[in-house]
Amino acid sequence: MINVGVIPVGNPGVFCSLLLPEAADALAAGEPLTALGLIQEEDELAVGAVAGYLIEENTSQIISLYVAPDYRRQGAGRLLMETLTGLLDEIQTGIRIDFTVTRKEHEDLEAFLKALGFQDDTNNDENIYLASLESLSKVCWM
């Protein structure tokens, strides 16, 4: 069974290696970041993480999203996004994630985001995906 929990500000702990350095450093420094981790309960393994922060009045920017390969396509990523959406639902209306498609993993992320209802808002070489929390709730959690 996989569970989601909040990664404490100031102490990314075992999730440090699952976050991009920018996110792990910001979290360790105590910056205002929302961070969630996935734990596989049986073996008490950290298997995924997502981190982001408020960028505009009603929009959060995801700066790190990772699920270990053995746990992909099993609902783990959806569980992270569902939990994040639930946390942000009352205070924000959208989520944004930016990345450059350079590897197979990024192509998988692109397909995952589109399946969740994110809209491509590509700018130059950087892929930008936007989704409203309302649209995410309709796609992910039915």
Side-chain angles (χ1 to χ4, degrees), residues 69-115:
D70 290 347
Y71 295 88
R72 293 179 187 163
R73 299 192 183 276
Q74 297 179 32
R78 281 184 179 265
L79 180 59
L80 272 177
M81 294 304 293
E82 175 182 326
T83 306
L84 181 64
T85 300
L87 288 173
L88 301 176
D89 192 34
E90 293 186 23
I91 56 172
Q92 296 175 22
T93 58
I95 296 177
R96 172 184 166 143
I97 185 168
D98 306 347
F99 65 97
T100 302
V101 179
T102 57
R103 301 186 314 224
K104 170 75 170 103
E105 240 179 21
H106 295 150
E107 291 174 9
D108 293 344
L109 176 59
E110 186 175 35
F112 171 73
L113 293 173
K114 285 182 178 179

